[in-house]
Amino acid sequence: MWSSTAGQKPERWLWDAKTDLLLIGGGAYFLFAAVAIPLAFIFAGLGTALVAIFLRAGLIVNQPHYAATLHLAIREREKQPRIFKWLVGSILVLIPITIASVHWMDVALSPITRIYLTWSAWHYSAQHFGISAMYSARNKRPLLPAEKFPLQVAFVGVAVFMMLSLNLIDPASAASFGATGAAVLSSTARQAWAYPLGLFIVTVSMIAAIVSHVRLKKRTGHGLEIIAWMLLGTNFFWFVIPNLLLGKYNLWGRPEIALWFPFALPFFHCVQYLGVTCHRTRSQGEVRPVFLLILLMGIGWVIFEGYALGIT
């Protein structure tokens, strides 16, 4: 049983320091990567096994992550009517788009995939920024606009590098490596400008993070929270490292990593999101975590599997 937080003053951590830094701050991803990446070069079948694990984990993590948004929007519809209306409106828009994409898959698949992957990079980085700002506020040092804006630039700017890489990717390279975002940019004239531009944007983003840190420290005596720096590091490892060229190819583009890397990111992103939203449900009373997980898994199944059955 998770105790209720209703009426309590916000504490520095949602759960506790270790849990927050591991599940929400990206610590679990770094530990996983530190083990999985070297082992992937030693054991040939590890990549395939990890893909299978992450796909099955979707039932208890990825699908409930979407369900959690729906659950909170409905549960807090009176408290947050604007979010509820936005959710209903987005569903009404997405349903016909999804149906159309199924019937005209040859035409719709490529642009929809690009839009989804581009949006995902922005969404992941925006979530990291929001969490960083939240922890600063919980530590009684809410960010002012002059501190918040450069931090937002720092997160989103790093993701822009991935957005450029995804949209200018060489389809042949992607097919040969079996990857989506972790493939090599070709050296064609159309794409030659993207890589240096991406590196420039990343450099600006790093400077923006330092600016935010310095301004906050000057005002409060303490800079960005440790979890903010961890999330900035997560952003860098998710969106920059996979697209850094080492000669002709990049490390993350090798099949040992490229096979499972696109499946790892959504998993850890969803774990992070559930860590925040599950704590938020406690603001309305005690929570039975097993019942909540079953509920979210059920909603997630209806959203994905049930809808898929309905249109086929």
Side-chain angles (χ1 to χ4, degrees), residues 114 118 121 157-170 181 185 190-191 193-202 239 243:
R114 286 187 182 276
T118 302
V158 168
V160 168
F161 192 34
M162 176 63 88
M163 296 177 196
L164 287 171
S165 303
L166 289 172
N167 285 282
L168 296 176
I169 201 170
D170 179 8
L185 288 175
R190 183 174 71 88
Q191 299 176 353
W193 56 268
Y195 188 68
L197 175 61
L199 291 179
F200 173 76
I201 294 174
V202 169
F239 304 134
N243 300 294

Coordinates of all heavy atoms in Angstrom, one line a residue, residues 114 118 121 157-170 181 185 190-191 193-202 239 243:
R114 N 8.2 9.0 -39.5 CA 9.1 10.1 -39.3 C 8.5 11.1 -38.3 O 9.2 11.6 -37.5 CB 9.4 10.8 -40.7 CG 10.3 10.0 -41.6 CD 10.7 10.8 -42.8 NE 11.6 10.0 -43.7 CZ 12.9 9.9 -43.6 NH1 13.5 10.6 -42.6 NH2 13.6 9.2 -44.4
T118 N 10.3 11.9 -34.8 CA 10.7 13.3 -34.5 C 10.0 13.8 -33.2 O 10.6 14.4 -32.4 CB 10.3 14.2 -35.7 OG1 11.0 13.7 -36.9 CG2 10.7 15.6 -35.4
A121 N 11.5 12.3 -29.9 CA 12.7 13.0 -29.4 C 12.3 14.2 -28.7 O 12.9 14.5 -27.6 CB 13.6 13.3 -30.6
G157 N 17.3 21.4 -27.5 CA 18.4 21.5 -28.5 C 19.2 20.2 -28.7 O 19.5 19.9 -29.8
V158 N 19.4 19.5 -27.6 CA 20.1 18.2 -27.8 C 19.3 17.2 -28.6 O 19.7 16.5 -29.5 CB 20.5 17.6 -26.4 CG1 20.9 16.2 -26.6 CG2 21.6 18.4 -25.8
A159 N 18.0 17.3 -28.4 CA 17.1 16.4 -29.1 C 17.0 16.8 -30.6 O 16.7 15.9 -31.4 CB 15.7 16.4 -28.5
V160 N 17.2 18.0 -30.9 CA 17.2 18.4 -32.3 C 18.2 17.7 -33.1 O 18.0 17.3 -34.3 CB 17.4 19.9 -32.4 CG1 17.7 20.4 -33.9 CG2 16.2 20.7 -31.9
F161 N 19.4 17.3 -32.5 CA 20.4 16.5 -33.2 C 19.8 15.2 -33.7 O 20.0 14.8 -34.8 CB 21.6 16.3 -32.3 CG 22.8 15.8 -33.0 CD1 23.1 16.2 -34.3 CD2 23.7 15.0 -32.3 CE1 24.2 15.7 -34.9 CE2 24.8 14.5 -33.0 CZ 25.1 14.8 -34.3
M162 N 19.0 14.6 -32.8 CA 18.4 13.3 -33.2 C 17.3 13.5 -34.2 O 17.2 12.7 -35.1 CB 17.8 12.6 -31.9 CG 17.0 11.4 -32.2 SD 18.0 10.0 -32.9 CE 18.6 9.2 -31.4
M163 N 16.6 14.6 -34.1 CA 15.5 14.9 -35.1 C 16.1 15.1 -36.5 O 15.6 14.5 -37.5 CB 14.8 16.2 -34.7 CG 14.0 16.1 -33.4 SD 13.2 17.7 -33.0 CE 12.8 17.4 -31.3
L164 N 17.3 15.8 -36.6 CA 17.9 15.9 -37.9 C 18.4 14.6 -38.4 O 18.2 14.3 -39.6 CB 19.1 16.9 -37.7 CG 18.8 18.4 -37.5 CD1 20.1 19.1 -37.2 CD2 18.2 18.9 -38.8
S165 N 19.0 13.8 -37.5 CA 19.5 12.5 -37.9 C 18.4 11.6 -38.4 O 18.6 10.9 -39.4 CB 20.3 11.9 -36.8 OG 21.3 12.7 -36.3
L166 N 17.3 11.6 -37.7 CA 16.2 10.7 -38.1 C 15.6 11.1 -39.4 O 15.2 10.2 -40.2 CB 15.1 10.8 -37.0 CG 15.4 10.1 -35.7 CD1 14.3 10.4 -34.7 CD2 15.5 8.6 -35.9
N167 N 15.5 12.3 -39.7 CA 14.9 12.8 -40.9 C 15.8 12.9 -42.1 O 15.3 13.0 -43.3 CB 14.2 14.2 -40.7 CG 13.0 14.1 -39.9 OD1 11.9 13.7 -40.4 ND2 13.1 14.4 -38.6
L168 N 17.1 12.7 -41.9 CA 18.0 12.7 -43.0 C 18.8 11.4 -43.1 O 19.9 11.4 -43.6 CB 19.0 13.9 -42.9 CG 18.4 15.3 -42.9 CD1 19.4 16.4 -42.7 CD2 17.7 15.5 -44.3
I169 N 18.2 10.4 -42.5 CA 18.9 9.1 -42.5 C 18.9 8.5 -43.8 O 18.0 8.7 -44.7 CB 18.2 8.2 -41.4 CG1 19.1 7.1 -41.0 CG2 16.9 7.6 -42.0 CD1 18.6 6.3 -39.8
D170 N 20.0 7.7 -44.1 CA 20.1 7.0 -45.4 C 19.3 5.7 -45.2 O 19.7 4.8 -44.4 CB 21.6 6.7 -45.6 CG 21.8 5.9 -46.9 OD1 20.8 5.7 -47.6 OD2 22.9 5.5 -47.2
G181 N 16.9 5.0 -35.3 CA 17.6 6.3 -35.1 C 19.1 6.1 -35.0 O 19.8 7.1 -35.1
L185 N 24.4 8.7 -40.9 CA 24.1 9.7 -41.9 C 25.0 9.5 -43.1 O 26.2 9.3 -43.0 CB 24.3 11.1 -41.3 CG 23.3 11.6 -40.3 CD1 23.8 12.9 -39.8 CD2 21.9 11.6 -40.8
R190 N 22.9 16.6 -49.9 CA 21.7 17.1 -49.2 C 21.9 17.0 -47.7 O 21.3 17.7 -46.9 CB 20.5 16.3 -49.7 CG 19.2 16.7 -49.0 CD 18.0 16.0 -49.7 NE 18.0 14.6 -49.3 CZ 17.4 14.1 -48.2 NH1 16.8 15.0 -47.4 NH2 17.4 12.9 -47.9
Q191 N 22.6 16.0 -47.2 CA 22.7 15.7 -45.8 C 24.0 16.2 -45.2 O 24.2 16.2 -44.0 CB 22.6 14.2 -45.5 CG 21.3 13.6 -46.0 CD 21.3 12.1 -45.8 OE1 22.3 11.5 -45.5 NE2 20.1 11.5 -46.1
W193 N 25.3 19.0 -44.6 CA 25.2 20.2 -43.7 C 24.6 19.8 -42.3 O 24.8 20.5 -41.4 CB 24.3 21.3 -44.3 CG 22.9 20.8 -44.7 CD1 22.5 20.2 -45.9 CD2 21.8 20.7 -43.8 NE1 21.2 19.9 -45.8 CE2 20.7 20.1 -44.6 CE3 21.5 21.1 -42.5 CZ2 19.4 19.9 -44.1 CZ3 20.2 20.9 -42.0 CH2 19.2 20.3 -42.8
A194 N 23.9 18.7 -42.3 CA 23.1 18.3 -41.1 C 24.0 18.0 -39.9 O 23.7 18.4 -38.7 CB 22.2 17.2 -41.3
Y195 N 25.1 17.3 -40.1 CA 25.9 16.8 -39.0 C 26.6 18.0 -38.3 O 26.5 18.1 -37.1 CB 26.9 15.8 -39.5 CG 27.7 15.2 -38.4 CD1 27.1 14.3 -37.6 CD2 29.1 15.4 -38.3 CE1 27.9 13.7 -36.5 CE2 29.8 14.8 -37.3 CZ 29.2 13.9 -36.4 OH 29.9 13.3 -35.4
P196 N 27.3 18.9 -39.0 CA 27.9 20.0 -38.3 C 26.9 20.9 -37.7 O 27.1 21.5 -36.6 CB 28.7 20.8 -39.4 CG 28.2 20.3 -40.7 CD 27.7 18.9 -40.5
L197 N 25.7 21.1 -38.3 CA 24.7 21.9 -37.7 C 24.2 21.3 -36.4 O 24.0 22.0 -35.4 CB 23.5 22.0 -38.7 CG 22.2 22.8 -38.1 CD1 22.6 24.2 -37.8 CD2 21.1 22.7 -39.2
G198 N 24.0 20.0 -36.4 CA 23.6 19.3 -35.2 C 24.6 19.4 -34.1 O 24.3 19.7 -32.9
L199 N 25.9 19.3 -34.4 CA 27.0 19.5 -33.4 C 27.0 20.9 -32.9 O 27.2 21.1 -31.7 CB 28.3 19.2 -34.0 CG 28.6 17.7 -34.4 CD1 30.0 17.5 -35.0 CD2 28.5 16.8 -33.1
F200 N 26.7 21.9 -33.7 CA 26.7 23.3 -33.3 C 25.5 23.5 -32.3 O 25.7 24.1 -31.3 CB 26.5 24.2 -34.5 CG 26.2 25.6 -34.1 CD1 27.3 26.4 -33.7 CD2 25.0 26.2 -34.2 CE1 27.0 27.8 -33.3 CE2 24.7 27.5 -33.9 CZ 25.8 28.3 -33.4
I201 N 24.3 22.9 -32.6 CA 23.2 23.0 -31.8 C 23.4 22.4 -30.4 O 23.0 22.9 -29.4 CB 21.9 22.5 -32.5 CG1 21.6 23.3 -33.7 CG2 20.7 22.4 -31.5 CD1 20.4 22.7 -34.5
V202 N 24.1 21.2 -30.4 CA 24.4 20.5 -29.2 C 25.3 21.4 -28.4 O 25.2 21.5 -27.1 CB 25.1 19.2 -29.5 CG1 25.7 18.6 -28.2 CG2 24.0 18.2 -30.1
F239 N 20.4 10.9 -27.5 CA 20.2 11.7 -28.8 C 21.5 12.1 -29.5 O 21.4 12.4 -30.7 CB 19.3 12.9 -28.5 CG 18.0 12.6 -27.9 CD1 17.5 13.3 -26.8 CD2 17.2 11.6 -28.3 CE1 16.3 13.0 -26.2 CE2 16.0 11.2 -27.8 CZ 15.6 12.0 -26.7
N243 N 24.5 9.3 -32.8 CA 24.7 9.9 -34.1 C 26.1 10.5 -34.2 O 26.3 11.2 -35.2 CB 23.6 11.0 -34.3 CG 22.2 10.4 -34.3 OD1 21.8 9.6 -35.1 ND2 21.4 10.7 -33.2

